[in-house]
Amino acid sequence: MMGVLLAIIVGLFFRIGYIQIKRGDYLQDKADKLHNRERTLEAKRGDIVDANGVVLATSASINRISVIHNQIDDAEGTARILAQELGLNYDEVLEKIQKRVALQVIQDKVDTETANRIRAYELPGVMIDENFQRYYPYGSLAAQTIGFVGSDSQGIIGLEVKYDQYLQGIDGQIQTLTDAKGREVEGVGEQKVAPVEGNTLQLSLDVTMQEYAEQLLERVLKQKNAKKGAFIVMNPQNGEIYAMANYPNFDLNDPFTINDEALAEQWDTFSQETQMDYLNQMWRNFCINDTYEPGSTFKIITASAALQEKVVSLDDTFTCTGSLTVADRRIRCAKTTGHGTQTFVQGVQNSCNPVFMTLAARLGADRFYQYLKLFQFDQKTGIDVPGEAIGIMHKLENVGPVELATMGFGQSIAITPMQLMRAASAAVNGGNLITPHFGVNILDSEGTVLKKLEFETEEGVISEDVSATMREVLGTVVSEGGGRKAYIPGYQIGGKTATSQKLPRSSKKYISSFLGFAPVSDPQVMALLLVDEPEGIYYGGTVCAPIVREYFENILPYLGIEPNYTEEELSGDDVGTFTVPGLLGKSYSEAKTLASEMGFELDVLGEGEIVMEQYPGEGEEINKDAKVVIYLE
């Protein structure tokens, strides 16, 4: 018997050793999980603020109501109170309370007033924890750019996802010690690990400039019954973006509600996959996600390359007969009757296609492509908003004389609006290829700068001399050429118009655009406006240039750029504005008489006797020397 007892004791020692040493960590972990109840304390996501500290995205405090089944004394009474205070179904609440799980959420996103009423009941087993809901004070402002977060408070699109690592913060925890039945052990209390709030992201975007860009974009799109549009405003010296407007947009506080009324009526009939496709289209940022044929604004690049390679001088002359035959193809100019003999500068002012086809031929495909790569149309711009597209170009070996000619004036190549802005900035800022961006600083909750965000600049794309020449040439486009409707007395405005025909060409659909910058001598701001498929009058110089002028008239003083009038402007009678009268429905002779009486000129399109369309519209303020475009039928 002694031997048997000794064997049993030795066996128990081995068993204890096995349990303590071999399985000790595993069993300790199970014991901890059995006796410790953990609840997550959500960290407050950092704010997003504009250049002046105005809050664009913040996280409002809300509450989560949950229950611990084993700590509930009166399940039915607790269910009755929670259902009443939260406006929920009693049976559903009771069913949740009776689930034998460690922690059951009853209701998320409960306002503080309701949470405090429930807290006053002191219900055993009912937990009330603070969490946060993302809120966008300006609703749809810069929606595609700022982006939004999901139910887990992580960024889904836009700057919210790009800077998620800084905004997110670190969640905290509350640990409670319970007995084997899940009841809280009295006298021990809770152990709390406080959450760490996320950092604040400061942007270069300016709320005032963004709001005004969106107002003008929406107005011109509605006037022209256009499909969509984009408006980008940037500092061409350092790449800081002041505004990026897309229309249509959507409400950041309700991003899963479609903004198309026709689609909304059929929404429940669509599959989940189809719904997500439509939502993704709504969330797309036209400025960076989509490519288009830029048309004549791309002539800025062709001209810069030609001047840099010295294949053209300012006084070189060209003859435009209305078209140019390249290989076996006749390619027309926008002015089918031709521009006649003109200098290079006049060719830029007139946006003459044959001039730029000739320049492209002088450069040749190899050198032309060299500059496409120098301006990095084959790469992303590096903008700090995800989802950026890359330009689409022919392979060099597939470029013949016709392809080269059409690329020279902005066809047969597709780029994003942001790529064009970046390249045009290099053309006028001294030849430096900047990285467009919104992020400026990462701040703590007190506003102290924790990190200054830096972005690359590539110098020497073109020389400073060529860039200075391009500024002057583009300045004459506005003062004397096709961009005249962007002219502002006292300010040096440079720019380029474009009216690019969409594929297929037979559709007769266009994208109107104008790229402008100011002042010419030292560009501090650049703007690009695109209007997709305007109805009626569709020329970029007519549709977009006046809108950019109106924008500049307001934001140049806002940026501290003062007017500097020339003697000619001060002595002339064209300084100031006038209100456009209503011409619709009038005969051509009546419109001419009214224009003569009020001292403005008419730009007549179409053939007929009755004014069917006018631009700008009735009641708009325009420069005294600007023309009012009318379409006759």
Side-chain angles (χ1 to χ4, degrees), residues 294-316:
S296 294
T297 48
F298 193 79
K299 292 172 181 175
I300 296 172
I301 311 306
T302 305
S304 298
L307 288 169
Q308 183 68 39
E309 289 297 310
K310 295 181 172 57
V311 300
V312 70
S313 66
L314 298 184
D315 297 325
D316 278 2

Side-chain angles (χ1 to χ4, degrees), residues 278-297:
Y278 281 126
L279 289 172
N280 283 323
Q281 286 297 318
M282 181 178 73
W283 299 335
R284 286 182 72 82
N285 189 333
F286 179 29
C287 303
I288 65 168
N289 295 149
D290 297 329
T291 60
Y292 77 113
E293 286 188 338
S296 294
T297 48

Side-chain angles (χ1 to χ4, degrees), residues 144 248-250 255-260 262-264 266-284:
Q144 287 89 346
N249 51 22
F250 62 94
F256 290 92
T257 297
I258 198 70
N259 58 7
D260 187 305
L263 289 176
Q266 308 173 58
W267 196 247
D268 293 337
T269 66
F270 298 141
S271 67
Q272 187 173 0
E273 183 179 357
T274 301
Q275 289 179 349
M276 282 309 303
D277 287 342
Y278 281 126
L279 289 172
N280 283 323
Q281 286 297 318
M282 181 178 73
W283 299 335
R284 286 182 72 82

Side-chain angles (χ1 to χ4, degrees), residues 358-598:
T358 303
L359 295 182
R362 290 181 183 180
L363 284 166
D366 288 336
R367 279 195 292 183
F368 190 84
Y369 263 64
Q370 176 187 340
Y371 280 91
L372 292 184
K373 291 183 180 294
L374 282 172
F375 282 103
Q376 295 189 4
F377 289 111
D378 61 337
Q379 301 179 35
K380 297 179 180 180
T381 66
I383 187 173
D384 52 349
V385 181
E388 185 180 10
I390 303 176
I392 303 170
M393 303 183 295
H394 290 290
K395 291 183 179 179
L396 179 57
E397 57 267 26
N398 296 331
V399 175
V402 173
E403 289 77 19
L404 181 60
T406 54
M407 281 192 291
F409 61 84
Q411 284 187 2
S412 302
I413 183 171
I415 59 176
T416 68
M418 198 70 253
Q419 283 183 304
L420 176 63
M421 282 283 280
R422 184 193 194 201
S425 294
V428 301
N429 70 7
N432 302 319
L433 202 64
I434 45 84
T435 300
H437 61 276
F438 289 95
V440 176
N441 293 311
I442 302 299
L443 314 173
D444 65 14
S445 58
E446 303 298 320
T448 303
V449 177
L450 300 176
K451 180 177 181 178
K452 182 175 177 59
L453 299 170
E454 297 181 352
F455 301 86
E456 294 182 359
T457 296
E458 187 173 325
E459 299 179 351
V461 176
I462 57 174
S463 69
E464 291 188 9
D465 289 342
V466 169
S467 179
T469 300
M470 283 302 304
R471 290 197 295 272
E472 294 300 323
V473 171
L474 293 172
T476 68
V477 172
V478 174
S479 61
E480 304 174 38
R484 182 72 179 170
K485 290 182 174 60
Y487 173 75
I488 305 173
Y491 288 100
Q492 295 176 306
I493 309 296
K496 188 72 191 72
T497 63
T499 308
S500 48
Q501 194 170 8
K502 298 178 71 173
L503 293 172
R505 309 291 182 208
S506 59
S507 68
K508 302 296 183 181
K509 293 180 179 179
Y510 300 86
I511 294 179
S512 304
S513 61
F514 179 77
L515 186 149
F517 61 92
V520 167
S521 58
D522 182 23
Q524 297 301 307
V525 61
M526 177 177 283
L528 173 63
L529 172 64
L530 295 98
V531 176
D532 190 2
E533 298 186 13
E535 292 184 359
I537 300 169
Y538 53 79
Y539 300 110
T542 303
V543 174
C544 297
I547 300 299
V548 174
R549 184 211 71 232
E550 185 175 346
Y551 188 78
F552 278 170
E553 281 179 328
N554 288 275
I555 62 108
L556 290 177
Y558 176 76
L559 290 172
I561 301 173
E562 298 296 330
N564 183 19
Y565 295 99
T566 64
E567 291 185 9
E568 183 180 358
E569 287 172 334
L570 290 173
S571 61
D573 60 358
D574 59 350
V575 176
T577 63
F578 75 95
T579 302
V580 178
L583 303 175
L584 296 181
K586 295 184 182 298
S587 67
Y588 176 48
S589 60
E590 289 174 330
K592 279 179 62 178
T593 301
L594 187 57
S596 177
E597 291 173 352
M598 295 187 65

